[in-house]
Amino acid sequence: MLGHGAGGGVDAPDILTAARAASDAGWAVALVEQPYRVAGRRSPVPAPRLDAAWTEVAAALSGRDGPLHDLPLVTGGRSSGARVACRTATATDAIGVLCLAFPLRPPARAGSDRRAPSRQPELDGAAVPVLVVQGSGDRFGMPRSSTKLGRTVVRVEGDHGLKRDHARIARAVERWLRGLRAAASDVGSAGGE
């Protein structure tokens, strides 16, 4: 289940690359547009409303009558969508979160030297394995990998738009998802013994 960034839709090149890689790795993929985009608005609603809509969609997809019922759920998205997926990982019962261009710390606005606070707590709070695919020149910063938190960070050529190195994005996503599936299978088989 992949969502978009604040200013774009699910047709962003990096989202489509990740979706193809997930499909190639044997995963079903749902691309989700937030209600404000469906309504034709460009500006996102406040975070609690984004999170509530995301959680509702996850419940509909993975619920008893949903197309993803009984399948392990990985959530993710690009930029703002990655933040939503991290904040809601527990509520959606996600087994992993894919972050494309996680906006760690917004740069200072023009004419100001004051920077917004770090979003590291959102990333750290996912409580499931996380893959962050980040452009090496991303002006929003570079998250760090953390073995303790199960977070892998893959640097690719480019900036926050992730428009350049699609082959590397695809390889990273596919490799991570295959590992996630293997880990979930190991846990499932250990629980059934």
Side-chain angles (χ1 to χ4, degrees), residues 115-138:
R115 293 190 68 186
S118 172
R119 292 158 175 164
Q120 188 72 48
E122 291 176 352
L123 191 56
D124 291 347
V128 294
V130 174
L131 172 64
V132 179
V133 179
Q134 200 84 352
S136 57
D138 193 323

Side-chain angles (χ1 to χ4, degrees), residues 6-76:
V10 293
D11 58 350
D14 56 336
I15 292 174
L16 296 177
T17 296
R20 279 190 297 276
S23 182
D24 289 348
W27 292 77
V29 178
L31 300 178
V32 178
E33 290 222 21
Q34 282 278 357
Y36 75 91
R37 293 280 302 172
V38 174
R41 292 191 300 276
R42 291 174 43 118
S43 298
V45 297
R49 289 179 46 202
L50 291 173
D51 295 356
W54 186 256
T55 303
E56 284 181 39
V57 170
L61 289 171
S62 60
R64 175 181 225 130
D65 297 324
L68 304 180
H69 178 66
D70 282 342
L71 296 176
L73 180 66
V74 174
T75 62

Side-chain angles (χ1 to χ4, degrees), residues 7 20 27-28 51 101 147 155-156 167 174:
R20 279 190 297 276
W27 292 77
D51 295 356
T147 303
R155 290 177 186 233
V156 298
E174 193 169 344

Side-chain angles (χ1 to χ4, degrees), residues 133-137 142 154-159 162 165 168-169 172:
V133 179
Q134 200 84 352
S136 57
M142 181 64 64
V154 174
R155 290 177 186 233
V156 298
E157 185 180 333
D159 57 17
L162 293 179
D165 200 352
R168 181 126 191 240
I169 293 169

Side-chain angles (χ1 to χ4, degrees), residues 156-177:
V156 298
E157 185 180 333
D159 57 17
H160 193 67
L162 293 179
K163 293 179 181 171
R164 290 189 189 165
D165 200 352
H166 290 276
R168 181 126 191 240
I169 293 169
R171 283 192 308 272
V173 170
E174 193 169 344
R175 184 178 308 124
W176 181 74
L177 286 172

